[in-house]
Amino acid sequence: MTSLSRTALALALMTATGAPPALAQGAFIEPASTRGSTLHGTDRAGPWGESAYTFALKVSTSIYKTVNLHRKKNGLAELTADPGLGVVAGAYSGDMITGDFFGHFAPDGRDLGARLAEANIAHYDKVAEILWDASEESIDWSIEDTVRSSVTDWLRSPEGHREALMDPEARIVGVGTAIRDERVVVTMLLGAR
């Protein structure tokens, strides 16, 4: 992929017994499964093929399988897909696309802990979040190239991405991909119990 790629990493420690932070009375949090991404009528044909949603789903699935191959080669247990973490990851990728930002903190200040609490996911000892973003006119819209570029960037990153992917305590994973115009964003959440 001949695009400008950015990667980021954050580790959020969640206690197994910790309760999600309380919301202000009357506050409404839209369910994570309905926010952003290629849902809500934005599924259309483009350089990625007939369906943005299908492309995003295939990228997420292929990243999951590729990371498990790397873990297996390194003698580590394969990760099990967690639909809850997948929804949170996909929603956040969609948020970054629709909100035109990139990073572990949304413009409204929400971080990984807040996103997990909104989705009522508080049963992990720790969750690592790694992000990948590519944007440029020359993106090669093949699933294989997108997967290879994201996983290679994470494995070669000096910022702790490889350590998160190869963490022997990590057992659960959720991957979410969103695309729009000339941008792809991937969020991977790795959990340990």
PDB file of all heavy atoms in Angstrom, residues 97-137:
ATOM      1  N   ILE A  97     -13.864   7.869  11.312  1.00  0.00           N
ATOM      2  CA  ILE A  97     -14.143   8.223   9.914  1.00  0.00           C
ATOM      3  C   ILE A  97     -15.126   9.391   9.852  1.00  0.00           C
ATOM      4  O   ILE A  97     -14.877  10.391   9.190  1.00  0.00           O
ATOM      5  CB  ILE A  97     -14.717   7.006   9.145  1.00  0.00           C
ATOM      6  CG1 ILE A  97     -13.631   5.982   8.873  1.00  0.00           C
ATOM      7  CG2 ILE A  97     -15.410   7.428   7.854  1.00  0.00           C
ATOM      8  CD1 ILE A  97     -12.773   6.217   7.657  1.00  0.00           C
ATOM      9  N   THR A  98     -16.273   9.250  10.530  1.00  0.00           N
ATOM     10  CA  THR A  98     -17.306  10.290  10.427  1.00  0.00           C
ATOM     11  C   THR A  98     -16.897  11.574  11.134  1.00  0.00           C
ATOM     12  O   THR A  98     -17.291  12.652  10.711  1.00  0.00           O
ATOM     13  CB  THR A  98     -18.658   9.791  10.978  1.00  0.00           C
ATOM     14  OG1 THR A  98     -18.495   9.402  12.342  1.00  0.00           O
ATOM     15  CG2 THR A  98     -19.184   8.626  10.165  1.00  0.00           C
ATOM     16  N   GLY A  99     -16.106  11.453  12.200  1.00  0.00           N
ATOM     17  CA  GLY A  99     -15.659  12.643  12.930  1.00  0.00           C
ATOM     18  C   GLY A  99     -14.371  13.242  12.417  1.00  0.00           C
ATOM     19  O   GLY A  99     -13.895  14.256  12.927  1.00  0.00           O
ATOM     20  N   ASP A 100     -13.761  12.607  11.415  1.00  0.00           N
ATOM     21  CA  ASP A 100     -12.523  13.073  10.798  1.00  0.00           C
ATOM     22  C   ASP A 100     -11.416  13.317  11.831  1.00  0.00           C
ATOM     23  O   ASP A 100     -10.827  14.386  11.905  1.00  0.00           O
ATOM     24  CB  ASP A 100     -12.778  14.328   9.968  1.00  0.00           C
ATOM     25  CG  ASP A 100     -11.619  14.600   9.009  1.00  0.00           C
ATOM     26  OD1 ASP A 100     -10.952  13.636   8.587  1.00  0.00           O
ATOM     27  OD2 ASP A 100     -11.378  15.786   8.692  1.00  0.00           O
ATOM     28  N   PHE A 101     -11.166  12.280  12.658  1.00  0.00           N
ATOM     29  CA  PHE A 101     -10.067  12.358  13.618  1.00  0.00           C
ATOM     30  C   PHE A 101      -9.403  11.001  13.687  1.00  0.00           C
ATOM     31  O   PHE A 101      -9.879  10.022  13.116  1.00  0.00           O
ATOM     32  CB  PHE A 101     -10.559  12.806  15.008  1.00  0.00           C
ATOM     33  CG  PHE A 101     -11.365  11.767  15.747  1.00  0.00           C
ATOM     34  CD1 PHE A 101     -10.762  10.916  16.671  1.00  0.00           C
ATOM     35  CD2 PHE A 101     -12.742  11.646  15.537  1.00  0.00           C
ATOM     36  CE1 PHE A 101     -11.506   9.952  17.350  1.00  0.00           C
ATOM     37  CE2 PHE A 101     -13.484  10.692  16.218  1.00  0.00           C
ATOM     38  CZ  PHE A 101     -12.869   9.851  17.127  1.00  0.00           C
ATOM     39  N   PHE A 102      -8.262  10.925  14.391  1.00  0.00           N
ATOM     40  CA  PHE A 102      -7.544   9.674  14.598  1.00  0.00           C
ATOM     41  C   PHE A 102      -6.852   9.739  15.943  1.00  0.00           C
ATOM     42  O   PHE A 102      -6.118  10.686  16.225  1.00  0.00           O
ATOM     43  CB  PHE A 102      -6.515   9.441  13.485  1.00  0.00           C
ATOM     44  CG  PHE A 102      -5.772   8.148  13.632  1.00  0.00           C
ATOM     45  CD1 PHE A 102      -6.358   6.952  13.249  1.00  0.00           C
ATOM     46  CD2 PHE A 102      -4.481   8.111  14.136  1.00  0.00           C
ATOM     47  CE1 PHE A 102      -5.680   5.747  13.376  1.00  0.00           C
ATOM     48  CE2 PHE A 102      -3.792   6.915  14.264  1.00  0.00           C
ATOM     49  CZ  PHE A 102      -4.394   5.730  13.877  1.00  0.00           C
ATOM     50  N   GLY A 103      -7.082   8.768  16.784  1.00  0.00           N
ATOM     51  CA  GLY A 103      -6.419   8.719  18.076  1.00  0.00           C
ATOM     52  C   GLY A 103      -7.281   8.002  19.091  1.00  0.00           C
ATOM     53  O   GLY A 103      -8.429   7.635  18.831  1.00  0.00           O
ATOM     54  N   HIS A 104      -6.730   7.811  20.261  1.00  0.00           N
ATOM     55  CA  HIS A 104      -7.402   7.049  21.303  1.00  0.00           C
ATOM     56  C   HIS A 104      -8.430   7.849  22.081  1.00  0.00           C
ATOM     57  O   HIS A 104      -9.208   7.290  22.842  1.00  0.00           O
ATOM     58  CB  HIS A 104      -6.367   6.439  22.241  1.00  0.00           C
ATOM     59  CG  HIS A 104      -5.480   5.463  21.538  1.00  0.00           C
ATOM     60  ND1 HIS A 104      -5.925   4.221  21.128  1.00  0.00           N
ATOM     61  CD2 HIS A 104      -4.198   5.559  21.118  1.00  0.00           C
ATOM     62  CE1 HIS A 104      -4.946   3.592  20.502  1.00  0.00           C
ATOM     63  NE2 HIS A 104      -3.893   4.378  20.484  1.00  0.00           N
ATOM     64  N   PHE A 105      -8.436   9.159  21.894  1.00  0.00           N
ATOM     65  CA  PHE A 105      -9.421  10.009  22.541  1.00  0.00           C
ATOM     66  C   PHE A 105     -10.283  10.658  21.472  1.00  0.00           C
ATOM     67  O   PHE A 105      -9.768  11.323  20.572  1.00  0.00           O
ATOM     68  CB  PHE A 105      -8.746  11.099  23.384  1.00  0.00           C
ATOM     69  CG  PHE A 105      -8.034  10.550  24.581  1.00  0.00           C
ATOM     70  CD1 PHE A 105      -6.707  10.164  24.505  1.00  0.00           C
ATOM     71  CD2 PHE A 105      -8.697  10.400  25.795  1.00  0.00           C
ATOM     72  CE1 PHE A 105      -6.034   9.640  25.601  1.00  0.00           C
ATOM     73  CE2 PHE A 105      -8.043   9.875  26.898  1.00  0.00           C
ATOM     74  CZ  PHE A 105      -6.711   9.499  26.798  1.00  0.00           C
ATOM     75  N   ALA A 106     -11.598  10.485  21.587  1.00  0.00           N
ATOM     76  CA  ALA A 106     -12.528  11.136  20.663  1.00  0.00           C
ATOM     77  C   ALA A 106     -12.546  12.632  20.977  1.00  0.00           C
ATOM     78  O   ALA A 106     -12.176  13.035  22.083  1.00  0.00           O
ATOM     79  CB  ALA A 106     -13.918  10.531  20.829  1.00  0.00           C
ATOM     80  N   PRO A 107     -12.966  13.450  20.033  1.00  0.00           N
ATOM     81  CA  PRO A 107     -13.030  14.893  20.298  1.00  0.00           C
ATOM     82  C   PRO A 107     -13.864  15.259  21.528  1.00  0.00           C
ATOM     83  O   PRO A 107     -13.605  16.267  22.172  1.00  0.00           O
ATOM     84  CB  PRO A 107     -13.657  15.457  19.019  1.00  0.00           C
ATOM     85  CG  PRO A 107     -13.261  14.490  17.954  1.00  0.00           C
ATOM     86  CD  PRO A 107     -13.288  13.140  18.639  1.00  0.00           C
ATOM     87  N   ASP A 108     -14.849  14.417  21.886  1.00  0.00           N
ATOM     88  CA  ASP A 108     -15.654  14.695  23.075  1.00  0.00           C
ATOM     89  C   ASP A 108     -14.987  14.207  24.361  1.00  0.00           C
ATOM     90  O   ASP A 108     -15.556  14.285  25.437  1.00  0.00           O
ATOM     91  CB  ASP A 108     -17.054  14.097  22.933  1.00  0.00           C
ATOM     92  CG  ASP A 108     -17.054  12.569  22.866  1.00  0.00           C
ATOM     93  OD1 ASP A 108     -15.971  11.943  22.983  1.00  0.00           O
ATOM     94  OD2 ASP A 108     -18.143  11.998  22.689  1.00  0.00           O
ATOM     95  N   GLY A 109     -13.756  13.672  24.252  1.00  0.00           N
ATOM     96  CA  GLY A 109     -12.996  13.238  25.416  1.00  0.00           C
ATOM     97  C   GLY A 109     -13.156  11.772  25.780  1.00  0.00           C
ATOM     98  O   GLY A 109     -12.459  11.280  26.667  1.00  0.00           O
ATOM     99  N   ARG A 110     -14.065  11.052  25.107  1.00  0.00           N
ATOM    100  CA  ARG A 110     -14.237   9.631  25.415  1.00  0.00           C
ATOM    101  C   ARG A 110     -12.963   8.868  25.089  1.00  0.00           C
ATOM    102  O   ARG A 110     -12.365   9.061  24.053  1.00  0.00           O
ATOM    103  CB  ARG A 110     -15.396   9.029  24.615  1.00  0.00           C
ATOM    104  CG  ARG A 110     -16.759   9.389  25.103  1.00  0.00           C
ATOM    105  CD  ARG A 110     -17.881   8.751  24.289  1.00  0.00           C
ATOM    106  NE  ARG A 110     -17.661   8.958  22.862  1.00  0.00           N
ATOM    107  CZ  ARG A 110     -17.582   7.973  21.964  1.00  0.00           C
ATOM    108  NH1 ARG A 110     -17.709   6.718  22.326  1.00  0.00           N
ATOM    109  NH2 ARG A 110     -17.399   8.240  20.688  1.00  0.00           N
ATOM    110  N   ASP A 111     -12.588   7.960  26.008  1.00  0.00           N
ATOM    111  CA  ASP A 111     -11.435   7.101  25.781  1.00  0.00           C
ATOM    112  C   ASP A 111     -11.913   5.644  25.730  1.00  0.00           C
ATOM    113  O   ASP A 111     -13.123   5.380  25.753  1.00  0.00           O
ATOM    114  CB  ASP A 111     -10.368   7.310  26.856  1.00  0.00           C
ATOM    115  CG  ASP A 111     -10.839   6.921  28.252  1.00  0.00           C
ATOM    116  OD1 ASP A 111     -11.990   6.447  28.422  1.00  0.00           O
ATOM    117  OD2 ASP A 111     -10.051   7.077  29.188  1.00  0.00           O
ATOM    118  N   LEU A 112     -10.982   4.719  25.662  1.00  0.00           N
ATOM    119  CA  LEU A 112     -11.328   3.313  25.577  1.00  0.00           C
ATOM    120  C   LEU A 112     -12.184   2.874  26.754  1.00  0.00           C
ATOM    121  O   LEU A 112     -13.189   2.163  26.582  1.00  0.00           O
ATOM    122  CB  LEU A 112     -10.064   2.450  25.481  1.00  0.00           C
ATOM    123  CG  LEU A 112     -10.271   0.934  25.496  1.00  0.00           C
ATOM    124  CD1 LEU A 112     -11.162   0.486  24.342  1.00  0.00           C
ATOM    125  CD2 LEU A 112      -8.929   0.222  25.448  1.00  0.00           C
ATOM    126  N   GLY A 113     -11.829   3.285  27.942  1.00  0.00           N
ATOM    127  CA  GLY A 113     -12.609   2.915  29.126  1.00  0.00           C
ATOM    128  C   GLY A 113     -14.056   3.368  29.015  1.00  0.00           C
ATOM    129  O   GLY A 113     -14.986   2.612  29.334  1.00  0.00           O
ATOM    130  N   ALA A 114     -14.266   4.581  28.540  1.00  0.00           N
ATOM    131  CA  ALA A 114     -15.628   5.096  28.378  1.00  0.00           C
ATOM    132  C   ALA A 114     -16.387   4.317  27.306  1.00  0.00           C
ATOM    133  O   ALA A 114     -17.567   4.003  27.475  1.00  0.00           O
ATOM    134  CB  ALA A 114     -15.586   6.585  28.023  1.00  0.00           C
ATOM    135  N   ARG A 115     -15.702   3.980  26.208  1.00  0.00           N
ATOM    136  CA  ARG A 115     -16.361   3.230  25.134  1.00  0.00           C
ATOM    137  C   ARG A 115     -16.748   1.829  25.599  1.00  0.00           C
ATOM    138  O   ARG A 115     -17.824   1.325  25.260  1.00  0.00           O
ATOM    139  CB  ARG A 115     -15.469   3.168  23.902  1.00  0.00           C
ATOM    140  CG  ARG A 115     -15.278   4.550  23.258  1.00  0.00           C
ATOM    141  CD  ARG A 115     -14.595   4.458  21.908  1.00  0.00           C
ATOM    142  NE  ARG A 115     -13.274   3.879  21.919  1.00  0.00           N
ATOM    143  CZ  ARG A 115     -12.156   4.528  22.203  1.00  0.00           C
ATOM    144  NH1 ARG A 115     -12.187   5.812  22.524  1.00  0.00           N
ATOM    145  NH2 ARG A 115     -10.989   3.910  22.151  1.00  0.00           N
ATOM    146  N   LEU A 116     -15.887   1.192  26.397  1.00  0.00           N
ATOM    147  CA  LEU A 116     -16.215  -0.128  26.927  1.00  0.00           C
ATOM    148  C   LEU A 116     -17.374  -0.039  27.923  1.00  0.00           C
ATOM    149  O   LEU A 116     -18.271  -0.889  27.931  1.00  0.00           O
ATOM    150  CB  LEU A 116     -14.988  -0.765  27.589  1.00  0.00           C
ATOM    151  CG  LEU A 116     -13.847  -1.147  26.640  1.00  0.00           C
ATOM    152  CD1 LEU A 116     -12.619  -1.580  27.440  1.00  0.00           C
ATOM    153  CD2 LEU A 116     -14.260  -2.226  25.658  1.00  0.00           C
ATOM    154  N   ALA A 117     -17.382   0.993  28.752  1.00  0.00           N
ATOM    155  CA  ALA A 117     -18.462   1.178  29.714  1.00  0.00           C
ATOM    156  C   ALA A 117     -19.796   1.420  29.003  1.00  0.00           C
ATOM    157  O   ALA A 117     -20.825   0.864  29.408  1.00  0.00           O
ATOM    158  CB  ALA A 117     -18.139   2.338  30.653  1.00  0.00           C
ATOM    159  N   GLU A 118     -19.783   2.220  27.952  1.00  0.00           N
ATOM    160  CA  GLU A 118     -21.004   2.488  27.186  1.00  0.00           C
ATOM    161  C   GLU A 118     -21.598   1.194  26.637  1.00  0.00           C
ATOM    162  O   GLU A 118     -22.807   1.052  26.522  1.00  0.00           O
ATOM    163  CB  GLU A 118     -20.715   3.423  26.012  1.00  0.00           C
ATOM    164  CG  GLU A 118     -20.442   4.839  26.405  1.00  0.00           C
ATOM    165  CD  GLU A 118     -19.910   5.665  25.247  1.00  0.00           C
ATOM    166  OE1 GLU A 118     -19.992   5.221  24.083  1.00  0.00           O
ATOM    167  OE2 GLU A 118     -19.409   6.765  25.513  1.00  0.00           O
ATOM    168  N   ALA A 119     -20.734   0.256  26.283  1.00  0.00           N
ATOM    169  CA  ALA A 119     -21.174  -1.017  25.717  1.00  0.00           C
ATOM    170  C   ALA A 119     -21.374  -2.078  26.804  1.00  0.00           C
ATOM    171  O   ALA A 119     -21.619  -3.238  26.486  1.00  0.00           O
ATOM    172  CB  ALA A 119     -20.159  -1.503  24.683  1.00  0.00           C
ATOM    173  N   ASN A 120     -21.272  -1.680  28.078  1.00  0.00           N
ATOM    174  CA  ASN A 120     -21.408  -2.602  29.216  1.00  0.00           C
ATOM    175  C   ASN A 120     -20.420  -3.758  29.143  1.00  0.00           C
ATOM    176  O   ASN A 120     -20.759  -4.902  29.448  1.00  0.00           O
ATOM    177  CB  ASN A 120     -22.841  -3.127  29.329  1.00  0.00           C
ATOM    178  CG  ASN A 120     -23.796  -2.040  29.742  1.00  0.00           C
ATOM    179  OD1 ASN A 120     -23.467  -1.208  30.579  1.00  0.00           O
ATOM    180  ND2 ASN A 120     -24.976  -2.025  29.135  1.00  0.00           N
ATOM    181  N   ILE A 121     -19.191  -3.448  28.748  1.00  0.00           N
ATOM    182  CA  ILE A 121     -18.129  -4.453  28.706  1.00  0.00           C
ATOM    183  C   ILE A 121     -17.117  -4.094  29.783  1.00  0.00           C
ATOM    184  O   ILE A 121     -16.315  -3.185  29.613  1.00  0.00           O
ATOM    185  CB  ILE A 121     -17.453  -4.502  27.321  1.00  0.00           C
ATOM    186  CG1 ILE A 121     -18.475  -4.901  26.263  1.00  0.00           C
ATOM    187  CG2 ILE A 121     -16.274  -5.470  27.336  1.00  0.00           C
ATOM    188  CD1 ILE A 121     -17.948  -4.883  24.859  1.00  0.00           C
ATOM    189  N   ALA A 122     -17.201  -4.791  30.910  1.00  0.00           N
ATOM    190  CA  ALA A 122     -16.299  -4.504  32.023  1.00  0.00           C
ATOM    191  C   ALA A 122     -15.749  -5.789  32.624  1.00  0.00           C
ATOM    192  O   ALA A 122     -15.342  -5.815  33.765  1.00  0.00           O
ATOM    193  CB  ALA A 122     -17.028  -3.684  33.091  1.00  0.00           C
ATOM    194  N   HIS A 123     -15.741  -6.861  31.843  1.00  0.00           N
ATOM    195  CA  HIS A 123     -15.322  -8.155  32.393  1.00  0.00           C
ATOM    196  C   HIS A 123     -13.916  -8.566  31.971  1.00  0.00           C
ATOM    197  O   HIS A 123     -13.600  -9.737  31.961  1.00  0.00           O
ATOM    198  CB  HIS A 123     -16.340  -9.233  32.008  1.00  0.00           C
ATOM    199  CG  HIS A 123     -16.637  -9.295  30.540  1.00  0.00           C
ATOM    200  ND1 HIS A 123     -17.541  -8.460  29.945  1.00  0.00           N
ATOM    201  CD2 HIS A 123     -16.141 -10.075  29.562  1.00  0.00           C
ATOM    202  CE1 HIS A 123     -17.604  -8.735  28.653  1.00  0.00           C
ATOM    203  NE2 HIS A 123     -16.761  -9.711  28.403  1.00  0.00           N
ATOM    204  N   TYR A 124     -13.086  -7.619  31.645  1.00  0.00           N
ATOM    205  CA  TYR A 124     -11.697  -7.919  31.279  1.00  0.00           C
ATOM    206  C   TYR A 124     -10.747  -7.306  32.297  1.00  0.00           C
ATOM    207  O   TYR A 124     -11.004  -6.229  32.824  1.00  0.00           O
ATOM    208  CB  TYR A 124     -11.373  -7.358  29.889  1.00  0.00           C
ATOM    209  CG  TYR A 124     -12.154  -8.041  28.797  1.00  0.00           C
ATOM    210  CD1 TYR A 124     -13.268  -7.444  28.241  1.00  0.00           C
ATOM    211  CD2 TYR A 124     -11.789  -9.307  28.361  1.00  0.00           C
ATOM    212  CE1 TYR A 124     -14.003  -8.083  27.257  1.00  0.00           C
ATOM    213  CE2 TYR A 124     -12.514  -9.959  27.383  1.00  0.00           C
ATOM    214  CZ  TYR A 124     -13.618  -9.339  26.835  1.00  0.00           C
ATOM    215  OH  TYR A 124     -14.341  -9.979  25.875  1.00  0.00           O
ATOM    216  N   ASP A 125      -9.636  -8.002  32.548  1.00  0.00           N
ATOM    217  CA  ASP A 125      -8.610  -7.447  33.427  1.00  0.00           C
ATOM    218  C   ASP A 125      -7.893  -6.289  32.744  1.00  0.00           C
ATOM    219  O   ASP A 125      -7.515  -5.327  33.386  1.00  0.00           O
ATOM    220  CB  ASP A 125      -7.592  -8.527  33.820  1.00  0.00           C
ATOM    221  CG  ASP A 125      -8.210  -9.591  34.710  1.00  0.00           C
ATOM    222  OD1 ASP A 125      -9.138  -9.255  35.471  1.00  0.00           O
ATOM    223  OD2 ASP A 125      -7.778 -10.754  34.623  1.00  0.00           O
ATOM    224  N   LYS A 126      -7.675  -6.427  31.443  1.00  0.00           N
ATOM    225  CA  LYS A 126      -7.076  -5.340  30.680  1.00  0.00           C
ATOM    226  C   LYS A 126      -7.494  -5.471  29.225  1.00  0.00           C
ATOM    227  O   LYS A 126      -7.823  -6.561  28.752  1.00  0.00           O
ATOM    228  CB  LYS A 126      -5.555  -5.310  30.804  1.00  0.00           C
ATOM    229  CG  LYS A 126      -4.831  -6.459  30.142  1.00  0.00           C
ATOM    230  CD  LYS A 126      -3.319  -6.322  30.294  1.00  0.00           C
ATOM    231  CE  LYS A 126      -2.600  -7.493  29.651  1.00  0.00           C
ATOM    232  NZ  LYS A 126      -1.147  -7.365  29.770  1.00  0.00           N
ATOM    233  N   VAL A 127      -7.503  -4.342  28.554  1.00  0.00           N
ATOM    234  CA  VAL A 127      -7.814  -4.304  27.128  1.00  0.00           C
ATOM    235  C   VAL A 127      -6.810  -3.367  26.469  1.00  0.00           C
ATOM    236  O   VAL A 127      -6.604  -2.246  26.928  1.00  0.00           O
ATOM    237  CB  VAL A 127      -9.253  -3.792  26.865  1.00  0.00           C
ATOM    238  CG1 VAL A 127      -9.504  -3.654  25.377  1.00  0.00           C
ATOM    239  CG2 VAL A 127     -10.280  -4.722  27.482  1.00  0.00           C
ATOM    240  N   ALA A 128      -6.165  -3.851  25.416  1.00  0.00           N
ATOM    241  CA  ALA A 128      -5.245  -3.020  24.632  1.00  0.00           C
ATOM    242  C   ALA A 128      -5.971  -2.605  23.355  1.00  0.00           C
ATOM    243  O   ALA A 128      -6.693  -3.402  22.754  1.00  0.00           O
ATOM    244  CB  ALA A 128      -3.979  -3.794  24.286  1.00  0.00           C
ATOM    245  N   GLU A 129      -5.785  -1.373  22.968  1.00  0.00           N
ATOM    246  CA  GLU A 129      -6.383  -0.844  21.741  1.00  0.00           C
ATOM    247  C   GLU A 129      -5.267  -0.444  20.791  1.00  0.00           C
ATOM    248  O   GLU A 129      -4.384   0.327  21.163  1.00  0.00           O
ATOM    249  CB  GLU A 129      -7.237   0.374  22.078  1.00  0.00           C
ATOM    250  CG  GLU A 129      -7.819   1.092  20.881  1.00  0.00           C
ATOM    251  CD  GLU A 129      -8.660   2.281  21.292  1.00  0.00           C
ATOM    252  OE1 GLU A 129      -8.072   3.330  21.642  1.00  0.00           O
ATOM    253  OE2 GLU A 129      -9.905   2.153  21.301  1.00  0.00           O
ATOM    254  N   ILE A 130      -5.306  -0.974  19.580  1.00  0.00           N
ATOM    255  CA  ILE A 130      -4.355  -0.535  18.562  1.00  0.00           C
ATOM    256  C   ILE A 130      -5.149  -0.061  17.353  1.00  0.00           C
ATOM    257  O   ILE A 130      -6.196  -0.606  17.017  1.00  0.00           O
ATOM    258  CB  ILE A 130      -3.318  -1.626  18.198  1.00  0.00           C
ATOM    259  CG1 ILE A 130      -3.973  -2.906  17.707  1.00  0.00           C
ATOM    260  CG2 ILE A 130      -2.411  -1.913  19.379  1.00  0.00           C
ATOM    261  CD1 ILE A 130      -2.973  -3.959  17.255  1.00  0.00           C
ATOM    262  N   LEU A 131      -4.648   0.985  16.744  1.00  0.00           N
ATOM    263  CA  LEU A 131      -5.341   1.642  15.642  1.00  0.00           C
ATOM    264  C   LEU A 131      -4.452   1.675  14.408  1.00  0.00           C
ATOM    265  O   LEU A 131      -3.227   1.729  14.512  1.00  0.00           O
ATOM    266  CB  LEU A 131      -5.692   3.086  16.026  1.00  0.00           C
ATOM    267  CG  LEU A 131      -6.432   3.296  17.337  1.00  0.00           C
ATOM    268  CD1 LEU A 131      -6.538   4.784  17.634  1.00  0.00           C
ATOM    269  CD2 LEU A 131      -7.798   2.635  17.308  1.00  0.00           C
ATOM    270  N   TRP A 132      -5.074   1.703  13.261  1.00  0.00           N
ATOM    271  CA  TRP A 132      -4.356   1.863  11.988  1.00  0.00           C
ATOM    272  C   TRP A 132      -5.217   2.687  11.060  1.00  0.00           C
ATOM    273  O   TRP A 132      -6.435   2.536  11.034  1.00  0.00           O
ATOM    274  CB  TRP A 132      -4.059   0.502  11.379  1.00  0.00           C
ATOM    275  CG  TRP A 132      -3.245   0.548  10.128  1.00  0.00           C
ATOM    276  CD1 TRP A 132      -1.874   0.642  10.040  1.00  0.00           C
ATOM    277  CD2 TRP A 132      -3.719   0.492   8.778  1.00  0.00           C
ATOM    278  NE1 TRP A 132      -1.482   0.637   8.727  1.00  0.00           N
ATOM    279  CE2 TRP A 132      -2.606   0.547   7.929  1.00  0.00           C
ATOM    280  CE3 TRP A 132      -4.988   0.401   8.209  1.00  0.00           C
ATOM    281  CZ2 TRP A 132      -2.709   0.516   6.544  1.00  0.00           C
ATOM    282  CZ3 TRP A 132      -5.103   0.374   6.836  1.00  0.00           C
ATOM    283  CH2 TRP A 132      -3.966   0.427   6.015  1.00  0.00           C
ATOM    284  N   ASP A 133      -4.583   3.555  10.328  1.00  0.00           N
ATOM    285  CA  ASP A 133      -5.285   4.481   9.455  1.00  0.00           C
ATOM    286  C   ASP A 133      -4.468   4.655   8.185  1.00  0.00           C
ATOM    287  O   ASP A 133      -3.250   4.757   8.240  1.00  0.00           O
ATOM    288  CB  ASP A 133      -5.412   5.814  10.214  1.00  0.00           C
ATOM    289  CG  ASP A 133      -5.802   6.984   9.365  1.00  0.00           C
ATOM    290  OD1 ASP A 133      -4.918   7.500   8.644  1.00  0.00           O
ATOM    291  OD2 ASP A 133      -6.958   7.428   9.415  1.00  0.00           O
ATOM    292  N   ALA A 134      -5.129   4.641   7.057  1.00  0.00           N
ATOM    293  CA  ALA A 134      -4.462   4.915   5.786  1.00  0.00           C
ATOM    294  C   ALA A 134      -5.341   5.860   4.986  1.00  0.00           C
ATOM    295  O   ALA A 134      -6.554   5.675   4.903  1.00  0.00           O
ATOM    296  CB  ALA A 134      -4.211   3.634   5.002  1.00  0.00           C
ATOM    297  N   SER A 135      -4.726   6.870   4.443  1.00  0.00           N
ATOM    298  CA  SER A 135      -5.487   7.783   3.596  1.00  0.00           C
ATOM    299  C   SER A 135      -4.559   8.398   2.559  1.00  0.00           C
ATOM    300  O   SER A 135      -3.493   8.879   2.874  1.00  0.00           O
ATOM    301  CB  SER A 135      -6.160   8.869   4.427  1.00  0.00           C
ATOM    302  OG  SER A 135      -5.221   9.564   5.193  1.00  0.00           O
ATOM    303  N   GLU A 136      -4.976   8.311   1.340  1.00  0.00           N
ATOM    304  CA  GLU A 136      -4.246   8.894   0.227  1.00  0.00           C
ATOM    305  C   GLU A 136      -4.954   8.467  -1.046  1.00  0.00           C
ATOM    306  O   GLU A 136      -5.607   7.430  -1.098  1.00  0.00           O
ATOM    307  CB  GLU A 136      -2.800   8.391   0.211  1.00  0.00           C
ATOM    308  CG  GLU A 136      -1.906   9.171  -0.722  1.00  0.00           C
ATOM    309  CD  GLU A 136      -0.465   8.722  -0.591  1.00  0.00           C
ATOM    310  OE1 GLU A 136       0.202   9.183   0.350  1.00  0.00           O
ATOM    311  OE2 GLU A 136      -0.028   7.930  -1.425  1.00  0.00           O
ATOM    312  N   GLU A 137      -4.809   9.254  -2.067  1.00  0.00           N
ATOM    313  CA  GLU A 137      -5.457   8.943  -3.335  1.00  0.00           C
ATOM    314  C   GLU A 137      -4.982   7.621  -3.923  1.00  0.00           C
ATOM    315  O   GLU A 137      -5.718   6.970  -4.657  1.00  0.00           O
ATOM    316  CB  GLU A 137      -5.213  10.064  -4.335  1.00  0.00           C
ATOM    317  CG  GLU A 137      -5.966  11.338  -3.991  1.00  0.00           C
ATOM    318  CD  GLU A 137      -5.708  12.439  -4.995  1.00  0.00           C
ATOM    319  OE1 GLU A 137      -5.171  12.163  -6.077  1.00  0.00           O
ATOM    320  OE2 GLU A 137      -6.066  13.574  -4.685  1.00  0.00           O
TER     321      GLU A 137
END
